[in-house]
Amino acid sequence: MASEIKFTQDTMKQFNVAKSFTVNKDRINAMNFSLDGETLVSSSDDDSIVIYDCKEGETKRTLFSKKYGVDLIHFIHGTEQVLHGSTKVDDAVRLLQLEGNKYIRYYSGHTKRVVSLSIAPTEETFLTSSVDNTLRLWDVRIPTAQGLLNAQTTSGPASRPVANFDPEGVVFAVGVQSSLIKLFDIRHFDKGPFATFRPLDNNDSNDKQATNTNQSNEQWTHLKFSPDGKMICIATNGTSLHLIEAFQGLPIHRFNDIVNDRKEPLQCCFSPDSSYILCGSGDNRILIYKAESGEKVIEKQTEHNGAIQCIQFNPAFLMFATAHNNMLFWLPIIDSQPADELSS
């Protein structure tokens, strides 16, 4: 399992493109690995759902959701079903049976586009946030939301909320107005957050003015817990990436060398051992930082022809994937060949 490997700088430097796929005609807007790491699913602005075999390094099949569009795709209950957001008709989340390309259930309630979808490890509960400034907690078996949270505060303008579960699925974090994080216990979410903090207000005085100027033009676009649950990485539509302590909100590092001229909603991910942070950039680069020191250890140019908005590490195999219009699989290349145990 990749989570049992201790990643080093040399390990990260060995990653290179092992497979390249050009299935899509438009931007890939989301992707998700199955828990066993053997399958990857992606959704695209061209209304397609592409399923990849990670062991064989090939595409398995392509489905389409021409009527509703598709975004925020995520496996649930193995690899037979996916949840996804909608880009047409309405703002419902949909449960799709991949075999037969049949919809099983619609989850309606949001009145504007859903911008984040997170599934708890139990796979019976999922969380959505929307630009309607609400978050909804769902039971996958029931079409109506089991909980509703208003992300709009009385002070400040409306903005896109972001949310995600911690690795245990007991706590979820909500980012509000690109400045405030609220932590909820899923068992008592109706009692309100058990912790609230403004993590980016605690920067060192030496660079606080520059930070505040930069942050005032940025929106948070992605929030991700580290696999060990100790850190949260916050990606933006600007040039900053923020790493904070998960339960007190203390800033750990701020990374400011990301190019993002078009203000794309970027994402971030961790290596399975939580020691490295990976993010895409608007100029086709992958940036890899060491979580402990904040040092940028690797910068890789890619074959992508635009901003890398999707980047994820495989939870089981020593590989990660990146996407723009094309999909790239990255493996540690040894002597110009993938290592035997990683060969696709």
Side-chain angles (χ1 to χ4, degrees):
M1 294 290 288
S3 59
E4 299 172 354
I5 297 171
K6 179 61 179 176
F7 286 78
T8 66
Q9 190 165 323
D10 286 339
T11 306
M12 301 307 296
K13 284 183 176 179
Q14 290 174 357
F15 277 97
N16 285 286
V17 176
K19 293 284 183 177
S20 178
F21 304 91
T22 55
V23 180
N24 296 99
K25 298 178 180 179
D26 208 335
R27 179 183 68 104
I28 296 170
N29 53 43
M31 62 184 181
N32 179 241
F33 284 102
S34 59
L35 290 177
D36 63 10
E38 295 187 3
T39 311
L40 177 73
V41 64
S42 70
S43 56
S44 170
D45 290 348
D46 62 15
D47 303 330
S48 70
I49 297 169
V50 182
I51 303 166
Y52 300 86
D53 186 321
C54 297
K55 293 183 72 175
E56 300 299 325
E58 61 186 24
T59 56
K60 295 175 71 173
R61 55 182 163 154
T62 301
L63 307 173
F64 289 92
S65 177
K66 293 291 187 181
K67 181 176 181 180
Y68 301 113
V70 58
D71 192 7
L72 302 172
I73 199 157
H74 202 296
F75 280 121
I76 192 163
H77 299 150
T79 58
E80 300 303 314
Q81 299 175 355
V82 292
L83 284 167
H84 72 76
S86 307
T87 62
K88 304 175 183 178
V89 180
D90 59 25
D91 301 291
V93 173
R94 292 178 156 81
L95 178 63
L96 176 67
Q97 180 76 31
L98 294 176
E99 186 64 36
N101 197 17
K102 297 179 180 179
Y103 284 106
I104 300 172
R105 193 167 293 119
Y106 300 162
Y107 306 91
S108 300
H110 285 297
T111 58
K112 292 184 180 179
R113 185 158 177 178
V114 175
V115 291
S116 72
L117 187 157
S118 176
I119 297 178
T122 61
E123 294 195 272
E124 298 298 348
T125 303
F126 68 97
L127 177 69
T128 57
S129 69
S130 164
V131 290
D132 65 9
N133 283 298
T134 67
L135 293 97
R136 283 172 163 81
L137 196 63
W138 310 81
D139 184 316
V140 72
R141 298 160 292 190
I142 302 170
T144 55
Q146 303 303 290
L148 173 65
L149 299 170
N150 192 336
Q152 179 64 29
T153 62
T154 54
S155 61
S159 67
R160 140 187 197 150
V162 290
N164 219 326
F165 283 103
D166 81 325
E168 301 299 321
V170 175
V171 170
F172 61 89
V174 179
V176 180
Q177 294 180 302
S178 299
S179 62
L180 190 71
I181 286 183
K182 299 182 179 184
L183 299 180
F184 293 83
D185 186 322
I186 191 172
R187 298 162 296 188
H188 310 291
F189 69 90
D190 55 327
K191 296 181 180 179
F194 66 83
T196 301
F197 43 80
R198 294 184 181 273
L200 309 189
D201 285 350
N202 299 317
N203 295 287
D204 293 338
S205 58
N206 290 338
D207 61 0
K208 197 165 194 176
Q209 183 175 356
T211 301
N212 289 342
T213 300
N214 187 38
Q215 290 166 8
S216 65
N217 298 318
E218 294 182 344
Q219 271 198 336
W220 295 357
T221 56
H222 188 229
L223 184 154
K224 182 75 173 177
F225 277 90
S226 58
D228 63 11
K230 296 179 180 179
M231 298 173 284
I232 294 174
C233 192
I234 303 168
T236 73
N237 66 350
T239 59
S240 297
L241 184 72
H242 305 277
L243 184 66
I244 65 171
E245 191 276 334
F247 290 99
Q248 294 181 342
L250 299 175
I252 301 174
H253 299 297
R254 174 170 52 86
F255 312 106
N256 275 334
D257 51 355
I258 299 166
V259 174
N260 192 11
D261 296 338
R262 296 189 177 184
K263 293 188 174 297
E264 303 281 5
L266 299 178
Q267 293 184 3
C268 54
C269 73
F270 288 88
S271 60
D273 68 345
S274 304
S275 61
Y276 290 89
I277 299 159
L278 294 74
C279 71
S281 193
D283 58 353
N284 315 338
R285 292 179 302 152
I286 296 172
L287 307 175
I288 302 178
Y289 302 94
K290 195 168 185 178
E292 182 178 2
S293 66
E295 174 190 6
K296 182 173 69 176
V297 295
I298 302 162
E299 180 179 303
K300 288 182 177 288
Q301 290 288 341
T302 73
E303 302 170 15
H304 296 300
N305 59 0
I308 303 169
Q309 292 177 236
C310 296
I311 182 166
Q312 281 191 28
F313 229 106
N314 189 307
F317 299 152
L318 200 56
M319 68 168 288
F320 66 88
T322 60
H324 179 60
N325 287 23
N326 55 333
M327 174 73 72
L328 301 181
F329 283 4
W330 298 75
L331 294 171
I333 304 296
I334 301 172
D335 295 330
S336 301
Q337 296 294 330
D340 290 343
E341 67 271 21
L342 305 172
S343 176
S344 62

